[in-house]
Amino acid sequence: MASTKIVIAGGFGAGKTTLVSSVSEIPPVTTEAVMTEASIAHDDVSATPDKVTTTVAMDFGRLTLDDELIMYMFGTPGQTRFWFMWDDLVRGAIGAVVVVDARRLADCFDAIDYFEKKQDVPYIIALNKFDGQLDYTVEQIREAVEVGPEVPIVEFDARDRLASGNVLKRLLRYTLSRSEREPVG
C-alpha cells in the first residue's frame, strides 16, 4: 500500500480544519486552541463572529482512497504568526488545497503566493461556500486572486464530506495530469 501527503492551506477561518475533519476516516488530530484576548489584535473575526478556537500548529487526517493508496492530510495554521511551520508541513507533499473564504479574499493572498513561489507543489483553490452560496463567480475570483487558467478553482462546502472529498479528488487529478506532462530526467 502506498501513501501520499497533501496540505490544506489558506487564511484564518477559511475552513481548513473543517475540511480535514469532514473527510478524515480517523478522528482528526487538531491543535485547536481557544482564542484569547491577546489574539483579538491579530485575528479579524468580524466575518466569523462565532469562531472561538484557532489552529496553532496543524491538523492531521487520513483517508484511504482504495486498496492501493492512503492520503495523509496536513492542515496549516492560517495566521501569519504561525507560518514559520509551513515549510515543514509542506515538505514531501504532492499537492495542496488553498481553502478560500470568498467573503475575505485578501486572507488567501499569502497562501497563494506561497505556492506560486514553491512551484514544485501544485495547488488548487477551493472556494468554501459559507451560508451555502458564493457572491462571486469563479472567474471573478480567479481575476481577483490573480491566478491563471491552469490553476483549478472549485466550489465546495467544507462541512460536507462528499464535497470535501471531491476537492481532494480534483487535487489528485490535477497533480497527476501535471506529472504526466512534465518531462522525465
Side-chain angles (χ1 to χ4, degrees), residues 56-128:
V56 296
M58 69 171 199
D59 299 315
F60 174 79
R62 183 184 78 196
L63 182 61
T64 302
L65 299 175
D66 60 30
D67 293 340
E68 302 290 320
L69 184 62
I70 295 176
M71 176 186 296
Y72 294 103
M73 300 168 282
F74 290 80
T76 66
Q79 302 93 321
T80 55
R81 67 184 179 277
F82 298 124
W83 283 4
F84 63 91
M85 293 180 263
W86 278 41
D87 285 339
D88 289 332
L89 290 173
V90 171
R91 189 173 295 114
I94 64 155
V97 174
V98 176
V99 180
V100 173
D101 178 350
R103 303 169 302 178
R104 299 175 292 132
L105 284 180
D107 292 354
C108 75
F109 293 159
D110 290 329
I112 291 171
D113 287 346
Y114 179 90
F115 290 105
E116 285 288 319
K117 291 174 185 155
K118 196 164 195 54
Q119 293 182 359
D120 59 327
V121 180
Y123 73 97
I124 68 169
I125 294 174
L127 302 173
N128 193 1

Side-chain angles (χ1 to χ4, degrees), residues 1-60:
M1 174 150 320
S3 64
T4 190
K5 175 183 182 181
I6 65 157
V7 173
I8 311 297
F12 169 74
K16 300 173 299 294
T17 299
T18 304
L19 186 157
V20 171
S21 298
S22 73
V23 296
S24 182
E25 65 194 20
I26 62 170
V29 175
T30 64
T31 58
E32 290 288 295
V34 175
M35 294 176 61
T36 64
E37 291 289 323
S39 70
I40 291 174
H42 300 285
D43 304 323
D44 179 8
V45 295
S46 59
T48 55
D50 297 330
K51 186 168 180 58
V52 295
T53 63
T54 188
T55 301
V56 296
M58 69 171 199
D59 299 315
F60 174 79

Side-chain angles (χ1 to χ4, degrees), residues 154-166:
V154 296
E155 300 174 29
F156 83 119
D157 183 331
R159 300 166 296 186
D160 182 279
R161 179 178 174 84
L162 182 59
S164 293
N166 286 335

